[in-house]
Amino acid sequence: MIVVIGLVLVTVGTVLFHFLSPWWWTEIASNWGFIDTVIQITFVVTGIVFVAVLLFTAYCVHRYRYRKDRRSEYKPEDPKLEWWLTGLTSVGVVIMLAPGLIAWNDFVTVPEDAAVFEVVGQQWNWKFRFPGKDGVLGTSDARNINDDNPFGLNVDDPNGQDDILVDDSELHLPIGQPVQALLRSIDVLHDFYVPQFRAKMDMVPGMITYFWLTPIRTGTFDILCFELCGIGHHEMRGTVVVEAPEDFEAWLGEQTTFAQSMARAGNGADGVLSLVSRAASAETTATQ
Ligand SMILES: [Cu+2]
């Protein structure tokens, strides 16, 4: 009897905890409400199975408890019951998987009016790039990466000259505008994740992955790396500020373009000085 009461208590306790728990999702800040719905459908299906299995076990423990005058019956197969179980399990699996396929299809089908920006992941920080006035991101190559060109843009690609470089872990996005995030890693696997957006995607060296979203709530949200990427993984964090379009434009206007950053690095006393100091530090490293 103790076992029966224990099983019933675990069932009731778990269901109550699910509904009364103070730990629920953060408030959603993107158009991906359907992804929450998909997870809730999974909760319902697995919840029903969980409750049914535990209560059935409790029932059996009680109903078929040991009695001296009773013997168990040997019944290795029951085709009718097996058909029922196979059928119900299939229905449950389809209910859980089908909405996910729809959500995934939406997630990777980028609307035509989506603006584009790039996220670059690197042990252990984030960088962002927006196309300039031409609306086109310049091409890049990991082999171009150096201190003056941390994004590895192709110097002679005209599309890249006006690209806006954000060499900082704070990203800004305008509210209400669909955006496509192009994701690039320049060392190991990372994963760009903003919990409030309900959106994340792996970043794989040598390839460009993507997803899209429309921010629907202003605020400042955490960006997390969601793929264990080395000893500093836990501190690979950033922030995304969702704000009014005019505030976003103002912020964008304060950033440096690729042409400006190259001009700064290559010309003038500043450029020469940085070259000298780099040569000096190379020497120190060599003599160490
Ligand atoms: Cu990472």
Side-chain angles (χ1 to χ4, degrees):
M1 207 54 196
I2 293 173
V3 175
V4 175
I5 294 170
L7 284 168
V8 172
L9 282 181
V10 166
T11 314
V12 174
T14 308
V15 173
L16 280 181
F17 181 79
H18 175 82
F19 286 106
L20 302 177
S21 164
W23 301 293
W24 194 240
W25 301 324
T26 49
E27 209 182 326
I28 192 164
S30 82
N31 58 314
W32 293 120
F34 188 57
I35 291 183
D36 286 0
T37 311
V38 171
I39 296 173
Q40 267 155 347
I41 291 172
T42 306
F43 272 147
V44 170
V45 174
T46 52
I48 289 173
V49 173
F50 174 79
V51 170
V53 168
L54 258 78
L55 292 185
F56 179 68
T57 310
Y59 166 78
C60 291
V61 168
H62 177 71
R63 173 81 177 74
Y64 302 107
R65 65 189 179 281
Y66 175 72
R67 259 203 245 138
K68 260 197 172 142
D69 54 337
R70 266 202 315 217
R71 296 210 61 188
S72 55
E73 183 192 341
Y74 180 63
K75 193 178 183 187
E77 281 188 47
D78 187 334
K80 202 173 151 204
L81 186 63
E82 280 159 25
W83 274 111
W84 268 106
L85 288 177
T86 310
L88 285 177
T89 310
S90 309
V91 170
V93 170
V94 168
I95 293 174
M96 285 194 291
L97 293 188
L101 291 176
I102 299 168
W104 173 254
N105 185 50
D106 288 350
F107 196 60
V108 295
T109 308
V110 184
E112 267 173 23
D113 61 339
V116 71
F117 73 100
E118 181 189 58
V119 182
V120 181
Q122 177 186 9
Q123 286 172 325
W124 289 279
N125 56 58
W126 303 101
K127 287 197 272 284
F128 308 97
R129 177 162 67 115
F130 289 83
K133 297 224 160 51
D134 60 359
V136 183
L137 286 169
T139 52
S140 62
D141 189 321
R143 281 167 287 204
N144 296 338
I145 294 171
N146 58 48
D147 282 359
D148 295 333
N149 187 359
F151 287 75
L153 299 196
N154 288 323
V155 181
D156 32 65
D157 184 345
N159 290 331
Q161 300 305 316
D162 65 346
D163 283 9
I164 294 158
L165 310 181
V166 185
D167 196 353
D168 180 74
S169 58
E170 187 176 292
L171 166 71
H172 288 231
L173 289 176
I175 189 167
Q177 162 72 49
V179 280
Q180 180 185 21
L182 298 173
L183 310 170
R184 188 154 67 92
S185 163
I186 56 181
D187 43 36
V188 299
L189 285 177
H190 299 282
D191 188 300
F192 180 76
Y193 180 38
V194 178
Q196 284 85 349
F197 288 165
R198 305 293 193 269
K200 67 183 164 79
M201 183 65 77
D202 274 0
M203 310 169 78
V204 186
M207 82 193 256
I208 295 172
T209 51
Y210 69 92
F211 65 85
W212 75 277
L213 77 142
T214 307
I216 58 162
R217 198 156 60 83
T218 55
T220 303
F221 312 110
D222 282 339
I223 298 170
L224 313 174
C225 179
F226 219 66
E227 181 75 52
L228 187 58
C229 59
I231 197 165
H233 166 65
H234 64 285
E235 52 184 43
M236 188 166 167
R237 310 185 85 170
T239 46
V240 51
V241 179
V242 176
E243 59 196 358
E246 53 277 17
D247 295 336
F248 168 74
E249 288 302 332
W251 171 81
L252 205 60
E254 289 165 12
Q255 310 303 318
T256 318
T257 65
F258 179 56
Q260 283 167 345
S261 79
M262 288 312 272
R264 235 179 256 170
N267 303 314
D270 204 28
V272 173
L273 270 181
S274 84
L275 284 175
V276 170
S277 67
R278 214 177 313 141
S281 73
E283 228 166 81
T284 347
T285 329
T287 49
Q288 266 167 1

